């Protein structure tokens, strides 16, 4: 368990996120999508579930689905990930996967701000909010200006829901994998001041 986690008055860890990646066999993506329609509502209805987001692969470029699930406490998240129903569903999906069910759990959004091995205090929430906001603002302005024309160049018609889906997916991937790991290192002194 994260040593920097916040606790409720009952001693439970507040806020927990699991990032799940599934590399799906090329010929089984339709079956995987059908499976996701079954597990998604069950996960969202689990006790303590706050949010469930899926980032689909880019056709012809990737076969990896990324699912980000947030719960109110790490205990509720563990209850879901270790539940018999999830275990049964994971067993059913294994033939569709090119590799095993892969996931890691961290408390809250603190995993952006604190390295796994950190022994330091988690930055103040207001500092975390300012850093996150300072990244999201330019992404929300810039990503649509790049993604929308790129979709038109690829011959994909302007459909608001699909374009928003691609724009938000691109924003999340850039936040989690590209920008935040480097940006938080750059602002480390201020974050932990």
């Amino acid at each position: 368990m994260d040593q920097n986690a916040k606790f409720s008055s009952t001693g439970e860890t507040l806020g927990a996120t699991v990032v799940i990646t599934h590399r799906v066999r090329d010929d089984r993506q339709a079956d995987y999508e059908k499976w996701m329609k079954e597990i998604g509502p069950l996960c969202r209805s689990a006790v303590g579930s706050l949010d469930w987001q899926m980032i689909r692969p880019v056709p012809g470029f990737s076969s990896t689905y990324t699912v980000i699930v947030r719960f109110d406490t790490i205990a509720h998240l563990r209850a879901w990930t270790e539940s018999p129903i999830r275990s049964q569903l994971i067993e059913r999906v294994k033939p569709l996967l090119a590799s095993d069910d892969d996931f890691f759990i961290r408390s809250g959004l603190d995993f952006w701000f604190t390295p796994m091995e950190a022994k330091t205090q988690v930055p103040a929430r207001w500092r975390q909010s300012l850093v996150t906001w300072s990244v999201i603002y330019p992404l929300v302005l810039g990503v649509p200006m790049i993604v929308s024309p790129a979709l038109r160049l690829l011959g994909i018609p302007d459909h608001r829901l699909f374009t928003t889906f691609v724009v938000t997916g691109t924003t999340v991937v850039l936040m989690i994998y590209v920008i935040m790991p480097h940006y938080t290192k750059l602002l480390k002194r201020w974050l932990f001041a």
Side-chain angles (χ1 to χ4, degrees), residues 7-154:
F7 294 91
S8 69
S9 57
T10 61
E12 287 187 332
T13 305
L14 291 176
T17 303
V18 63
V19 178
I20 305 163
T21 55
H22 286 156
R23 202 161 55 87
V24 180
R25 297 179 192 279
D26 289 335
D27 60 336
R28 303 306 299 269
Q29 290 194 351
D31 294 327
Y32 182 83
E33 290 277 347
K34 185 177 175 183
W35 177 84
M36 287 299 285
K37 287 180 182 176
E38 185 177 355
I39 195 170
L42 292 170
C43 178
R44 285 189 288 267
S45 67
V47 174
S49 176
L50 298 175
D51 190 28
W52 186 91
Q53 300 172 5
M54 177 172 55
I55 303 168
R56 287 179 170 83
V58 178
F61 180 71
S62 167
S63 59
T64 302
Y65 286 78
T66 302
V67 181
I68 303 165
V69 183
R70 290 181 38 240
F71 276 76
D72 59 351
T73 67
I74 202 162
H76 285 147
L77 180 113
R78 287 195 187 280
W80 163 248
T81 58
E82 297 168 5
S83 69
I85 187 73
R86 183 180 184 278
S87 296
Q88 290 169 6
L89 288 164
I90 293 299
E91 283 304 313
R92 281 198 7 230
V93 80
K94 280 185 179 179
L96 310 179
L97 304 179
S99 57
D100 285 339
D101 178 47
D102 185 26
F103 67 93
F104 66 90
I105 297 173
R106 293 303 305 252
S107 65
L109 287 176
D110 298 335
F111 69 91
W112 275 339
F113 298 96
T114 309
M116 290 269 207
E117 66 280 0
K119 302 284 190 255
T120 59
Q121 184 74 13
V122 173
R125 294 280 179 190
W126 69 269
R127 290 178 191 255
Q128 292 182 40
S129 297
L130 284 176
V131 169
T132 304
W133 186 13
S134 72
V135 172
I136 289 204
Y137 181 75
L139 284 175
V140 167
L141 290 175
V143 169
M145 290 190 291
I146 296 167
V147 169
S148 294
L151 291 174
R152 301 307 81 79
L153 281 173
L154 293 171

Side-chain angles (χ1 to χ4, degrees), residues 136-193:
I136 289 204
Y137 181 75
L139 284 175
V140 167
L141 290 175
V143 169
M145 290 190 291
I146 296 167
V147 169
S148 294
L151 291 174
R152 301 307 81 79
L153 281 173
L154 293 171
I156 299 170
D158 188 11
H159 187 272
R160 184 175 176 205
L161 292 177
F162 180 75
T163 301
T164 301
F165 173 77
V166 175
V167 165
T168 56
T170 303
T171 301
V172 168
V173 169
L174 287 172
M175 279 284 293
I176 293 174
Y177 295 106
V178 179
I179 298 170
M180 289 304 278
H182 303 291
Y183 193 46
T184 54
K185 284 179 187 173
L186 181 68
L187 297 177
K188 183 178 174 182
R189 294 181 104 177
W190 178 78
L191 277 168
F192 292 94

